[in-house]
Amino acid sequence: MIRERLDKVIRTVPDFPKKGIDFKDITSILLDDKLSNEIVQSFSDKFKDIDFDAIIGIESRGFLFGFLLANKLGVPFIPVRKAGKLPGKTIKYKYDLEYGSSEIEIHCNDIQEGWNILIHDDLLATGGTASAAAELVLKSKANVAAFAFIVNLAYLDGQIQLDKYTNNIISLTNY
Ligand code: AMP
């Protein structure tokens, strides 16, 4: 089972980047080429009944498997970046964090009107980041086809925030 393999490999780092946070470090997965391939295969199997035109990956850990998946499945990959990093004309979305706010953006013409978009990140926590990415999809006049995460910190109930965009919320392991 991929879940058991992931649970063995993902490192939990207590009190990082600040006290009280159990940080789930997925960089250890990248050292294991077989497990990385299994992740791609597992996601691909779960996407079988989902119709999507492109995958967007959220900076920065969402780029790692997002691009691999898009490339394997033969669809475009679109990076969502923190504001100020993309050189072209962008669509932005600002959202609240626990303290302060953050802003993300995509290049204007990357998402075509009417496309169905699969949103990928390494981990779902409170759901703020994935919701912000979904808002960028809606601002682009496209549809959210699914969310896909390696890890869902289910005790934070981030999924509740995402339900309004789609019922397709996929994760490979939960805590
Ligand atoms: P959230 O917006 O609260 O759902 O946070 C999700 C984003 O923050 C993802 O891009 C994660 O990579 C990162 N993140 C939040 N909490 C953690 C955690 N406990 N361990 C690792 N990454 C986290």
Side-chain angles (χ1 to χ4, degrees):
M1 278 279 283
I2 184 112
R3 181 180 300 257
E4 283 141 26
R5 303 248 287 119
L6 283 171
D7 292 349
K8 274 197 196 120
V9 171
I10 293 171
R11 224 159 41 112
T12 302
V13 185
D15 298 322
F16 183 85
K18 55 184 181 188
K19 211 167 166 40
I21 302 216
D22 274 339
F23 189 83
K24 301 291 177 194
D25 177 27
I26 62 131
T27 58
S28 45
I29 296 173
L30 307 176
L31 302 174
D32 186 335
D33 59 304
K34 288 199 182 68
L35 179 57
S36 297
N37 272 319
E38 278 175 47
I39 289 173
V40 171
Q41 191 54 52
S42 207
F43 273 132
S44 305
D45 293 344
K46 289 178 192 296
F47 297 167
K48 275 217 172 81
D49 298 323
I50 301 171
D51 178 28
F52 58 95
D53 302 293
I55 294 179
I56 72 175
I58 303 175
E59 183 172 350
S60 57
R61 288 181 298 268
F63 295 170
L64 299 167
F65 284 94
F67 182 63
L68 271 182
L69 279 165
N71 202 258
K72 179 180 160 81
L73 299 171
V75 295
F77 174 76
I78 300 166
V80 168
R81 300 217 60 184
K82 308 229 164 83
K85 309 261 185 185
L86 290 171
K89 196 160 176 266
T90 61
I91 302 175
K92 299 185 200 320
Y93 188 80
K94 201 169 180 180
Y95 62 106
D96 292 329
L97 296 172
E98 198 180 348
Y99 300 104
S101 65
S102 185
E103 195 171 31
I104 55 173
E105 61 184 353
I106 48 166
H107 271 142
C108 271
N109 301 321
D110 281 359
I111 298 182
Q112 291 182 26
E113 228 177 284
W115 267 7
N116 296 315
I117 304 292
L118 186 142
I119 296 172
H120 166 71
D121 202 358
D122 66 325
L123 179 142
L124 172 65
T126 64
T129 310
S131 299
E135 292 296 334
L136 282 180
V137 170
L138 298 185
K139 270 183 140 184
S140 308
K141 300 192 173 72
N143 315 303
V144 178
F147 293 97
F149 307 95
I150 300 172
V151 179
N152 175 12
L153 300 183
Y155 56 88
L156 293 175
D157 288 331
Q159 197 157 333
I160 292 172
Q161 275 216 58
L162 307 184
D163 278 343
K164 63 172 180 273
Y165 301 105
T166 174
N167 292 326
N168 295 324
I169 304 171
I170 293 160
S171 55
L172 301 185
T173 189
N174 296 288
Y175 291 90

